[in-house]
Amino acid sequence: MLRAFRADLHIHTCLSPCAELEMSPRGIIRTASEKEIDILGICDHNSAENVPAMRHAARPFRISVLAGMEVTSQEEVHVLGLFDSLDSALGLQEIVYAHLPGENDEDAFGVQPVVNEEGEILRFNEKLLIGATTLDLEEVVSLIRSRGGLAIAAHIDREGFSIIGQLAFIPAALPLDALETSPAMPIETARQKFGSRFPMTSASDAHRLDEIGRSSTSFWLAEGTVAEIRKALVRQDGRKVMNGKES
Amino acid sequence: MKLRDIADTFDFKVLTAPDKLDVEVSGGYTSDLLSDVMANSRPGNIWITLQTHQNIVAVARLRSLAAILLVNNRAPDEETMKTAEQEQVPLLLTPDPAFLITGKLYLKLSQKD
């Protein structure tokens, strides 16, 4: 049976150096539950290491946690990769790590704790997660899609780290699954401004608890999975994108 | 000043469109944000950047830029080279970083003949 799912496909956890430490698995899940979010995309910068804890924390709730990552391409374009399978996300992570130079400076950028579902720190990730990979945009999109993931160009309405800001326009043959607009631009405005070549989604890009769900996308799906969202983006089998909801 | 004289003076490696060097250079623009280059560069500018994505060729063409100068010896990929050759946009290469070569070019272009 198909029904409406409210999705926030782009949130960070405490692993992202720029996110608040309050972005713990339980804190995130509790907040998402209060805001009636059905699907969460966990998209830390260049890492998926907090996805397992997020999935554990989500178990008692009816919230689907998608394994994701916000990859920074060589051109400094942010691209979301969203997967059903944790292994697929970790496979991407392995390649991203191999192409991500530098070490994190906690004083300059913030700490990068890998946590369990209780929010207890297991270790600190020492890579420069805030940095850019040496993978070009086409490679990033191809790495995501070849593993069955959705490749979504992040916050295209922003100047910084967006495909439009960095590269002025979307390369003709780039097989993106969708474009994402930030909470600063409503989804309808984004559709008018950036055209209908790609489906449009809207997400919070939350770095703090109170930002979760400030912008979201509603889908008409059978279940909260990447496979279902992929169908919705291409309007297959009755699945569809309904609208972007601001909270 | 002609693009060819500039390329010779600073020993830039000419990667593409060697027949397009006899144009007058109006000045320079240094930026790695293509949206910014679209908005603020001027026709005839030499564009100094480290971005090697093939979109740079389209931006250079749309803005009628004289050439794209890639810094830090950042060689472009095959797609970018191919597009630049097709579109006849000169791609130049220098080992200098952007600050240094921008300074050198600024001094050269502000000299009175």
Side-chain angles (χ1 to χ4, degrees), chain A residues 43-225:
Chain A
C43 296
D44 282 310
H45 292 291
N46 297 311
S47 181
E49 288 195 56
N50 270 351
V51 170
M54 286 299 309
R55 285 196 159 168
H56 282 295
R59 266 184 201 153
F61 295 80
R62 291 179 55 183
I63 295 176
S64 304
V65 170
L66 308 182
M69 195 185 305
E70 182 172 28
V71 183
T72 307
S73 77
Q74 170 180 265
E75 302 84 0
E76 303 205 341
V77 173
H78 285 180
V79 183
L80 308 183
L82 292 168
F83 303 88
D84 283 322
S85 145
L86 174 64
D87 283 346
S88 299
L90 295 180
L92 173 65
Q93 176 182 279
E94 195 180 325
I95 296 168
V96 164
Y97 280 4
H99 294 84
L100 184 64
E103 275 179 31
N104 187 39
D105 180 331
E106 295 186 347
D107 294 330
F109 305 115
V111 293
Q112 301 180 158
V114 178
V115 297
N116 64 16
E117 68 267 34
E118 305 292 348
E120 294 162 346
I121 296 172
L122 303 176
R123 61 185 176 277
F124 289 96
N125 183 302
E126 290 178 355
K127 298 201 69 80
L128 185 57
L129 296 182
I130 203 71
T133 66
T134 55
L135 301 163
D136 69 37
L137 178 62
E138 279 74 8
E139 286 176 296
V140 171
V141 171
S142 160
L143 287 168
I144 293 168
R145 288 178 52 102
S146 66
R147 284 166 178 74
L150 290 173
I152 301 177
H155 41 65
I156 61 157
D157 55 307
R158 280 176 31 191
E159 183 174 82
F161 301 107
S162 81
I163 193 167
I164 303 288
Q166 302 296 127
L167 293 179
F169 60 91
I170 298 165
L174 192 67
L176 290 166
D177 292 293
L179 311 178
E180 174 205 270
T181 177
S182 82
M185 184 178 286
I187 198 163
E188 280 310 324
T189 314
R191 279 199 190 105
Q192 283 161 23
K193 185 165 179 195
F194 300 108
S196 55
R197 195 173 123 206
F198 296 100
M200 191 73 67
T201 62
S202 180
S204 72
D205 195 3
H207 287 67
R208 301 194 319 244
L209 287 177
D210 64 6
E211 292 174 341
I212 294 172
R214 64 181 166 165
S215 187
S216 62
T217 311
S218 290
F219 294 99
W220 192 248
L221 310 170
E223 53 180 4
T225 62

Side-chain angles (χ1 to χ4, degrees), chain B residues 1-2 5-10 12 25 27 100-113:
Chain B
M1 192 168 192
K2 292 270 197 248
D5 299 331
I6 294 172
D8 286 346
T9 304
F10 296 105
F12 295 150
V25 172
L100 185 59
I101 197 59
T102 300
K104 288 181 186 175
L105 278 173
Y106 180 82
L107 287 176
K108 189 76 188 166
L109 289 167
S110 39
Q111 276 173 9
K112 300 284 173 226
D113 293 326

Side-chain angles (χ1 to χ4, degrees), chain B residues 17-59:
Chain B
D19 301 335
K20 292 285 174 180
L21 302 183
D22 292 310
V23 294
E24 198 66 27
V25 172
S26 62
Y29 196 75
T30 306
S31 175
D32 301 319
L33 272 181
L34 276 64
S35 53
D36 169 59
V37 178
M38 282 293 287
N40 296 310
S41 63
R42 294 278 171 265
N45 279 180
I46 183 165
W47 171 21
I48 298 153
T49 184
L50 49 68
Q51 288 278 15
T52 55
H53 189 275
Q54 57 172 306
N55 275 19
I56 58 176
V57 178
V59 168

